[in-house]
Amino acid sequence: MPIKNSYIKSYCIILAAISFISIYYFVHHQLVIKDDIQPAILAYFIIKSFLIFANFTRAFKAFHFNPIIFKALFNLGIGLLLAFLYLQLYNDSILILTDCGLSLITVFSLMKMHQNKNEKQNYI
């Protein structure tokens, strides 16, 4: 069954770019950051990787509503923002752009899921 949504290609390109930039920054931070803050940096990038993975899977399932995934995406988005503020990453413009992009894509996923809430329920 071919995907007919016009936004899927650009959506995936943006997510792939965010993924590659995040991997680069993860490797960079692993080499540079001190050991005392290392668990916080690791938690930040784990949240980010879960959000990227969840957004990739949402695009290919046409954003069918699932309450568990909806709440997980919402909470991971909030967790990403809190980790971003806690680690004071607002001095790096590339991380600001990637996190804002990832947050906007997550909001887009949540809006599409909420829009499809009454159309077809897809419970796990």
Side-chain angles (χ1 to χ4, degrees):
M1 180 165 135
I3 300 172
K4 297 179 181 178
N5 298 329
S6 61
Y7 54 81
I8 297 293
K9 186 175 181 181
S10 58
Y11 184 90
C12 290
I13 290 170
I14 291 170
L15 273 174
I18 290 172
S19 300
F20 291 128
I21 292 169
S22 296
I23 290 170
Y24 168 76
Y25 268 87
F26 176 70
V27 171
H28 174 71
H29 279 95
Q30 289 288 10
L31 298 174
V32 174
I33 300 298
K34 299 176 282 189
D35 288 337
D36 57 344
I37 200 167
Q38 195 71 20
I41 291 285
L42 190 60
Y44 167 74
F45 282 106
I46 287 173
I47 291 171
K48 203 169 188 176
S49 65
F50 274 119
L51 263 178
I52 290 168
F53 176 73
N55 279 303
F56 263 126
T57 59
R58 288 290 74 193
F60 296 111
K61 290 188 178 181
F63 301 96
H64 290 306
F65 181 76
N66 184 320
I68 296 169
I69 296 176
F70 185 87
K71 290 176 185 174
L73 274 175
F74 183 78
N75 291 328
L76 282 171
I78 291 173
L80 180 74
L81 295 175
L82 290 175
F84 183 83
L85 292 174
Y86 173 74
L87 294 171
Q88 298 176 353
L89 298 174
Y90 38 80
N91 295 325
D92 192 342
S93 59
I94 298 296
L95 283 177
I96 291 172
L97 288 174
T98 59
D99 286 352
C100 285
L102 188 55
S103 296
L104 286 173
I105 286 176
T106 302
V107 167
F108 175 73
S109 296
L110 291 171
M111 287 172 48
K112 291 296 286 181
M113 285 175 67
H114 187 68
Q115 178 184 359
N116 294 337
K117 182 176 183 178
N118 295 325
E119 291 179 9
K120 181 180 176 184
Q121 302 224 346
N122 186 17
Y123 294 100
I124 292 178

